[in-house]
Amino acid sequence: MQGTATDVDLSVDDAALASTDGDWVTVVWDDPVNLMTYVTYVFRSYFGFDEAKAERLMMQVHTKGRAIVSAGGREQQELHVSAMHGYGLLATLERVE
């Protein structure tokens, strides 16, 4: 799942923001290490996404360089970022403006 900086879509996923109760999002970034199947597995097992949503988000990570996987309050998003790091995924916390 490798990409270059020029093909990273930095726009915010409107669907993720529509369900937010806070001003923060968890972003999972593309990396050269993890297999697409593993990323899908993490999204399903940790977030409880169904297969279709997990695969859609994984493909967004793969093709656009990143995907917003959660939105809400800062503390909860920090927990999600930490969990993604625990699974070996690159993830960051971003404030929505």
Side-chain angles (χ1 to χ4, degrees), residues 1-13 27-32 59-68 90 92 94:
M1 293 185 4
Q2 198 168 9
T4 63
T6 57
D7 55 14
V8 172
D9 180 5
L10 296 178
S11 64
V12 174
D13 181 354
V27 180
V28 174
W29 295 87
D30 191 21
D31 67 58
M59 285 306 296
Q60 188 176 357
V61 170
H62 179 65
T63 61
K64 296 186 177 190
R66 70 180 234 147
I68 293 173
L90 297 175
T92 57
E94 292 185 9

Side-chain angles (χ1 to χ4, degrees), residues 13 15-16 40 43 50-63 67-68:
D13 181 354
T40 301
F43 291 168
D50 62 33
E51 186 174 354
K53 183 172 183 174
E55 287 183 1
R56 179 180 61 80
L57 289 169
M58 174 277 297
M59 285 306 296
Q60 188 176 357
V61 170
H62 179 65
T63 61
I68 293 173

